[in-house]
Amino acid sequence: MPKSRTPRLSRRGLIAAGGALGLVAALTACGGSDSAKGGAGDKDKGAAASGPWTFKDDLGKDISLKAKPKNIVAFTGTAAALYDYGIQVKGVFGPTKTADGKPDVQAGSMDISKVEILGNVYDEFNVEKYASLQPELLVTNTWDGTYWYVPEASKDKILKLAPAAAVGVGGDVSMDKALERTADLAKSLGADMNAKSAADGKARFEAAAAKVREATKANPGIKVLVGSGSADLFYASSPDTSADLKYFKSLGVEFVTPDKLGEGNFFESLSWENAGKYKADLVLLDNRTGTLQPEELKAKPTWAEMPAVKAGQVAPRVTEPIYSYEKCAKILEDLARAVQGAKKVS
């Protein structure tokens, strides 16, 4: 969801070689590489390895390169999805490693020692280091028509260095569509979507979706609240503006919908005194680094008094999914178990 709420990590970070002169030269040489060529028929099409590469992203931009890009830089979660399909990027930006040096949840299965980290928190992006990687393509997600984790202050410099492709994960987009588009992008970059690992991942996802449907039918009436905790506020999320929650809803999950949503209609901000405003049988709690987790939330009396919390019916929510079928299948399997095991307590 737009605007990561990570007060302990200074809102979702490095400085290195390249230097100002190198950056200026790179900006001059690479500016304008994004092309408006190609038509609507190119939307899901990547070119053969020996010819030009084209892709139409979810912001409606037609991207055209002389050859399939090899020097790819991506938002961490998007890079992790591409990795699951066999596409290795050179650099990443976004939550990649925790304070103790371990991979962040958004890094998925990637070996983070093999990528350049251009920024590890929100609004941090080392443009000089990015230029030194000689990027041919930048890839990220989009929730609201902007490039996720590309800082507004340096966006123009960044986007002059290489064309950017964005995959929609918010608004009218549901998880199944986000998965399809991420797979389209991976295929265009050389992934073999007929490989056993890819085929098995998709089959597992479809089976997991059926498990969620079965769980909601077998245990009807379970009300689910999606939330995120910070030091000062509890955020109650809408199920209608994020790709994952929209998809869960289509599978029969019954959500609590906040009635006073803020900008973008993503969530309602509640003081901790009012955190118990909405009653639910199951809470899906934001699992991102920097948000308060159940052990830390024990210090909040209103959290401890929530019916679902008292009943021990709290499950992690992967707020920013890695959009590969394998990773999203696991999310659905965990959701099915949480719904199936919940009791009415609200």
Side-chain angles (χ1 to χ4, degrees):
M1 61 188 63
K3 301 290 189 302
S4 171
R5 302 178 303 278
T6 55
R8 294 181 301 159
L9 290 183
S10 68
R11 295 176 65 84
R12 295 234 229 183
L14 275 115
I15 195 86
L21 291 177
L23 174 59
V24 171
L27 286 169
T28 303
C30 298
S33 58
D34 190 31
S35 171
K37 296 178 183 178
D42 293 328
K43 183 170 184 177
D44 300 318
K45 183 175 67 178
S50 59
W53 181 85
T54 61
F55 189 80
K56 186 168 186 176
D57 79 349
D58 292 339
L59 293 179
K61 294 185 66 178
D62 289 290
I63 303 164
S64 179
L65 298 171
K66 292 181 180 179
K68 183 169 61 182
K70 295 181 180 179
N71 290 356
I72 303 167
V73 173
F75 166 66
T76 302
T78 316
L82 294 175
Y83 182 86
D84 285 348
Y85 293 127
I87 305 299
Q88 177 72 56
V89 304
K90 291 193 70 174
V92 296
F93 54 96
T96 306
K97 63 180 180 181
T98 58
D100 59 3
K102 295 180 180 179
D104 188 273
V105 292
Q106 294 190 59
S109 302
M110 281 195 301
D111 181 347
I112 63 173
S113 70
K114 294 183 178 180
V115 292
E116 290 285 352
I117 301 174
L118 307 178
N120 200 51
V121 295
Y122 193 78
D123 252 2
E124 196 167 270
F125 191 116
N126 190 320
V127 186
E128 287 87 356
K129 183 179 284 189
Y130 178 54
S132 75
L133 294 177
Q134 298 182 307
E136 296 171 284
L137 180 69
L138 182 146
V139 182
T140 187
N141 293 333
T142 182
W143 293 77
D144 57 0
T146 61
Y147 293 105
W148 188 228
Y149 265 80
V150 175
E152 187 64 30
S154 53
K155 178 184 68 175
D156 291 344
K157 290 180 180 180
I158 293 167
L159 297 181
K160 283 180 180 178
L161 285 166
V167 176
V169 298
D172 295 332
V173 177
S174 186
M175 176 180 269
D176 52 344
K177 182 62 176 178
L179 282 165
E180 178 186 321
R181 292 296 290 142
T182 303
D184 288 341
L185 177 60
K187 182 178 180 180
S188 79
L189 294 171
D192 181 2
M193 303 310 293
N194 294 317
K196 186 178 187 303
S197 59
D200 287 351
K202 189 169 185 180
R204 181 182 172 188
F205 175 81
E206 291 169 350
K211 289 178 182 178
V212 176
R213 290 192 188 94
E214 292 166 4
T216 59
K217 290 178 181 178
N219 196 12
I222 296 299
K223 298 295 183 182
V224 180
L225 175 65
V226 182
S228 181
S230 72
D232 301 318
L233 296 170
F234 179 73
Y235 302 90
S237 295
S238 166
D240 299 319
T241 45
S242 300
D244 60 331
L245 302 184
K246 285 174 68 71
Y247 188 62
F248 301 166
K249 192 173 180 179
S250 76
L251 298 178
V253 176
E254 298 181 42
F255 287 103
V256 174
T257 301
D259 54 28
K260 293 184 179 180
L261 299 174
E263 182 181 357
N265 294 323
F266 283 93
F267 50 80
E268 178 176 353
S269 303
L270 299 167
S271 67
W272 277 109
E273 290 77 8
N274 297 310
K277 176 180 178 179
Y278 300 107
K279 306 302 180 186
D281 307 300
L282 172 65
V283 174
L284 297 182
L285 184 68
D286 189 345
N287 78 331
R288 288 180 294 180
T289 302
T291 62
L292 298 184
Q293 298 307 302
E295 190 64 30
E296 299 162 303
L297 287 170
K298 287 180 180 179
K300 306 290 186 182
T302 47
W303 166 262
E305 288 301 312
M306 289 183 183
V309 176
K310 291 175 74 172
Q313 296 179 172
V314 178
R317 179 204 175 189
V318 181
T319 306
E320 294 183 47
I322 293 168
Y323 282 101
S324 71
Y325 285 105
E326 174 191 332
K327 294 296 190 295
C328 288
K330 176 66 163 58
I331 292 172
L332 293 182
E333 290 163 355
D334 291 343
L335 176 64
R337 281 192 292 270
V339 171
Q340 184 70 63
K343 297 178 181 179
K344 285 290 295 180
V345 294
S346 62

